[in-house]
């Protein structure tokens, strides 16, 4: 134990003149208390708020973009009959699309992908017709073009479904002739 004490004594002797022994001024405690009481409010971190706001703006922008790319179901300048006709045809088209997607298989995938690509072209044409309808109002030519596009899409989907069924039947039949 003496060895440890001796080492400590040597250490203290070594740093004897380097110790800070200056007394604090008498107002030090008051200064400290004043600083505690006048504590400034911490700066708010606005980066989190800006990040949330930017995320909301981004999500709204994305939702608006996707909603404008979908075909409108209601027309501003269309009559009730035109709206009803569009609604009926779109229901039929949606039903045919469901049937087409049900037929999905590795053998039919290329046909289905091609059909869906063609449907996008028909949809783009249809959107042009609708824009024209909203811009110029109803007239016989625009209504005829709209109905023609809808009929073309339905008959196209029916033809694709028929082709898929023919391929399936051809695959299922045997190529043997019976006498």
């Amino acid at each position: 134990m003496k060895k440890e004490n001796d080492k400590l004594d040597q250490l203290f002797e070594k740093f004897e003149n380097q110790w800070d022994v200056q007394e604090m001024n008498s107002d030090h405690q008051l200064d400290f208390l004043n600083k505690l009481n006048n504590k400034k409010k911490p700066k708010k971190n606005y980066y989190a708020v800006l990040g949330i706001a930017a995320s909301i703006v981004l999500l709204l922008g994305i939702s608006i973009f996707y909603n404008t790319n979908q075909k409108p179901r209601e027309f501003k300048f269309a009559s009730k009959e035109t709206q009803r006709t569009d609604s009926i045809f779109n229901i039929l088209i949606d039903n045919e699309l469901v049937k087409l997607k049900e037929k999905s298989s590795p053998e039919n995938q290329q046909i289905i992908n091609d059909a869906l690509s063609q449907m996008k072209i028909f949809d783009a044409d249809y959107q042009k017709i609708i824009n024209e309808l909203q811009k110029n109002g109803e007239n016989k030519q625009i209504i005829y073009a709209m109905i023609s596009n809808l009929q073309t899409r339905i008959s196209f989907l029916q033809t694709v479904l028929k082709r898929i069924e023919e391929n399936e039947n051809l695959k299922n039949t045997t190529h043997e002739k019976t006498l």
Side-chain angles (χ1 to χ4, degrees), residues 1-15 19:
M1 189 87 160
K2 269 190 169 185
K3 287 184 180 180
E4 288 179 22
N5 287 338
D6 289 341
K7 287 182 182 179
L8 282 175
D9 287 339
Q10 287 175 358
L11 182 67
F12 279 111
E13 286 175 9
K14 182 179 176 182
F15 292 111
W19 295 105

Side-chain angles (χ1 to χ4, degrees), residues 69-171:
N69 283 340
Q70 295 176 355
K71 58 185 175 192
R73 296 286 183 191
E74 295 288 323
F75 310 124
K76 291 180 185 175
F77 303 105
S79 66
K80 295 285 184 194
E81 293 82 18
T82 305
Q83 290 176 357
R84 194 174 310 126
T85 303
D86 175 70
S87 160
I88 291 169
F89 275 106
N90 278 309
I91 290 170
L92 292 172
I93 291 169
D94 290 341
N95 287 339
E96 294 298 316
L97 283 171
V98 168
K99 289 178 189 176
L100 183 68
K101 290 177 182 176
E102 286 174 353
K103 296 283 186 178
S104 181
S105 69
E107 297 86 21
N108 300 330
Q109 195 60 42
Q110 185 63 40
I111 296 172
I112 292 173
N113 288 340
D114 291 343
L116 293 177
S117 297
Q118 184 62 38
M119 286 301 291
K120 286 182 183 178
I121 295 169
F122 288 141
D123 287 341
D125 291 341
Y126 183 75
Q127 189 59 47
K128 289 177 188 175
I129 294 168
I130 296 306
N131 290 341
E132 195 68 30
L133 176 71
Q134 290 178 346
K135 182 178 168 185
N136 297 325
E138 286 188 30
N139 65 44
K140 288 182 182 182
Q141 291 174 333
I142 294 175
I143 299 299
Y144 177 77
M146 182 184 85
I147 292 173
S148 175
N149 179 281
L150 293 168
Q151 288 174 337
T152 303
R153 292 196 293 174
I154 291 173
S155 65
F156 173 74
L157 289 172
Q158 288 173 344
T159 304
V160 170
L161 285 169
K162 235 183 245 184
R163 179 69 47 93
I164 289 173
E165 286 177 16
E166 288 173 1
N167 285 347
E168 288 175 351
N169 289 339
L170 185 63
K171 189 175 185 180

Side-chain angles (χ1 to χ4, degrees), residues 24-25 27-41:
M24 300 285 203
N25 66 16
D27 294 335
H28 175 72
Q29 187 174 7
L30 286 175
D31 289 341
F32 184 73
L33 289 174
N34 284 337
K35 285 183 181 179
L36 273 178
N37 290 334
N38 293 333
K39 172 171 86 170
K40 293 181 181 178
K41 295 179 182 177

Side-chain angles (χ1 to χ4, degrees), residues 38-72:
N38 293 333
K39 172 171 86 170
K40 293 181 181 178
K41 295 179 182 177
K43 292 183 179 179
K44 292 184 179 180
N45 189 358
Y46 290 106
Y47 292 114
V49 174
L50 288 174
I52 292 171
S55 299
I56 290 172
V57 168
L58 182 66
L59 289 174
L60 285 174
I62 290 172
S63 69
I64 288 171
F65 174 75
Y66 281 115
N67 285 339
T68 57
N69 283 340
Q70 295 176 355
K71 58 185 175 192

